[in-house]
Amino acid sequence: MNGHDEDLVGKWVIVKNDEIIEQDESLEKIYSLAKKYDPNDIIVSKYQKVGCYFY
């Protein structure tokens, strides 16, 4: 994991076309930001440390 990845661990992110386009520690803020995108084009997720998975 590079330094950039470590900065993202535990943050909420918006992913579009396999690229993180928004990030924040607040789900409320990410949810608000997500409203400006087509919901079919994005994924909202919490960035996890490599090797950690949840279903």
Side-chain angles (χ1 to χ4, degrees):
M1 181 166 33
N2 65 41
H4 179 70
D5 290 340
E6 289 178 13
D7 293 341
L8 292 173
V9 172
K11 290 187 178 179
W12 289 97
V13 296
I14 298 174
V15 179
K16 182 177 181 180
N17 298 326
D18 295 326
E19 182 178 333
I20 296 172
I21 57 172
E22 303 281 1
Q23 62 175 323
D24 200 274
E25 293 178 0
S26 167
L27 177 57
E28 184 176 344
K29 183 172 181 181
I30 286 296
Y31 179 71
S32 178
L33 291 169
K35 291 178 183 180
K36 67 182 179 180
Y37 299 100
D38 181 337
N40 296 314
D41 292 340
I42 63 168
I43 297 171
V44 175
S45 181
K46 191 160 194 173
Y47 197 92
Q48 300 294 316
K49 187 174 182 178
V50 174
C52 295
Y53 302 98
F54 63 93
Y55 297 92

